[in-house]
């Protein structure tokens, strides 16, 4: 596996080598990233992962500074997954000092995360547009855990006519159901047990969907009940369509049921995607790890 830090070397590592699979990341890799790497490696001739903590998508400079980083460990994980190249540019390589063009996201970015993290999706869309334009992947892989991000990226690629297929991969869950996130390591045992209310509520809603319940209020209600029981007040619980990330009142098209909540000092998000297969709603509950995540000091 190659480590490169310039656009020229990154591009040279994939050009004329067949189909290119891209996995953009901010590093501090864990099993959810490995699942994206596995999907990319299985389906492409050559793969490139990026590790770049993108300052444009942080609302708060302290969060950007505190974001966990460990490039050596990331390289081991990417190498073990069979990634061909890791592109880890400096901030100067990513953003010219006199850069004056950014991507402005529209309606798809206004609700849910867009409401609570102003500017976040413009930052995401800008860096992802640069990666798509600069690395020219055939296919790019994103986690469904960031459901609205997936909708924003797909909309941006369509609107800017970027010829890339954007693939969403199932959420990875820790053995207690909590969606994998580098933030999970900051939860103490008491907070951790509160945090599992998010996935419990979503799984209860998925049970209802599997029983044929399609009413948004009923699905949102079951999540809120589980959160109430755990003493968690969410920022939002919403059923939204996968394409536009807009609220809908019934599961009548591909959608996701999403929740965000502060658990102590840690803000968590989670969701269940619901696809329509052969005319029936089918929830994607995610993939649950059978053992402790590498986040807690494994390899
Ligand atoms: O999901 C992430 O890790 C980031 O938002 C992404 C897509 C790598 C852009 O910085």
């Amino acid at each position: 596996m190659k480590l490169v830090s310039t656009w020229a070397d990154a591009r040279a590592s994939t050009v004329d080598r067949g189909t290119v699979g891209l996995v953009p990341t901010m590093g501090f890799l864990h099993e959810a990233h490995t699942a994206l790497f596995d999907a990319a490696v299985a389906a492409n001739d050559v793969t490139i992962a990026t590790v770049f903590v993108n300052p444009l998508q942080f609302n708060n400079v302290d969060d950007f500074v505190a974001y966990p980083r460990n490039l050596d460990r990331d390289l081991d994980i990417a190498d073990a997954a069979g990634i061909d190249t890791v592109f880890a540019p400096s901030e100067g390589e990513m953003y010219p000092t006199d850069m004056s063009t950014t991507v402005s996201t529209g309606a798809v970015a206004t609700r849910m995360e867009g409401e609570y993290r102003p500017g976040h999706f413009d930052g995401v869309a800008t860096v992802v547009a640069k990666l798509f334009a600069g690395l020219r992947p055939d296919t790019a892989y994103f986690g469904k855990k960031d459901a609205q991000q997936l909708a924003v990226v797909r909309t941006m690629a369509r609107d800017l006519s970027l010829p890339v297929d954007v693939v969403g991969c199932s959420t990875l869950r820790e053995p207690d159901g909590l969606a994998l996130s580098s933030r999970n390591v900051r939860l103490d045992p008491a907070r951790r047990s509160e945090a599992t209310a998010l996935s419990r509520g979503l799984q209860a809603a998925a049970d209802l969907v599997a029983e044929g319940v399609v009413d948004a209020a009923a699905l949102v209600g079951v999540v809120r009940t589980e959160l109430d029981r755990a003493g968690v007040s969410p920022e939002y619980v919403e059923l939204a369509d996968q394409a536009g990330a807009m609220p809908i009142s019934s599961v009548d098209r591909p959608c996701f049921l999403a929740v965000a909540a502060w658990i102590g000092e840690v803000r968590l998000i989670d969701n269940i995607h619901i696809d329509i297969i052969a005319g029936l709603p089918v929830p994607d509950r995610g993939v649950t790890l059978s053992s402790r995540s590498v986040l807690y000091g494994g390899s």
Side-chain angles (χ1 to χ4, degrees), residues 24-26 54 57 124 127-128 142 146 149:
T25 83
M26 296 210 298
N54 176 29
Q57 69 187 74
V124 170
V127 79
V128 173
F142 294 83
D146 293 300
Q149 169 171 284

Side-chain angles (χ1 to χ4, degrees), residues 19-152:
T19 57
V20 178
L22 166 70
V23 184
T25 83
M26 296 210 298
F28 212 70
L29 303 179
H30 48 67
E31 289 87 346
H33 301 102
T34 308
L36 303 181
F37 294 162
D38 290 346
V41 168
N44 295 278
D45 297 318
V46 61
T47 51
I48 182 158
T50 62
V51 174
F52 178 67
V53 184
N54 176 29
L56 286 195
Q57 69 187 74
F58 286 81
N59 316 80
N60 175 320
V61 89
D62 295 338
D63 283 353
F64 170 67
V65 172
Y67 196 85
R69 293 159 169 89
N70 189 339
L71 185 60
D72 288 341
R73 188 169 147 279
D74 292 345
L75 294 176
D76 288 344
I77 291 175
D79 192 22
I83 290 290
D84 295 302
T85 303
V86 168
F87 176 37
S90 64
E91 209 174 308
E93 181 72 13
M94 181 59 79
Y95 296 122
T97 43
D98 59 349
M99 174 160 155
S100 73
T101 309
T102 56
V103 175
S104 169
T105 54
V108 66
T110 49
R111 310 257 328 170
M112 298 177 289
E113 292 304 285
E115 191 178 334
Y116 288 92
R117 303 180 68 188
H120 167 68
F121 285 126
D122 285 359
V124 170
T126 299
V127 79
V128 173
K130 284 173 67 69
L131 294 173
F132 285 0
L135 303 176
R136 287 174 243 173
D138 296 282
T139 310
Y141 298 82
F142 294 83
K144 287 185 183 173
K145 171 170 173 280
D146 293 300
Q148 192 175 9
Q149 169 171 284
L150 188 56
V152 165

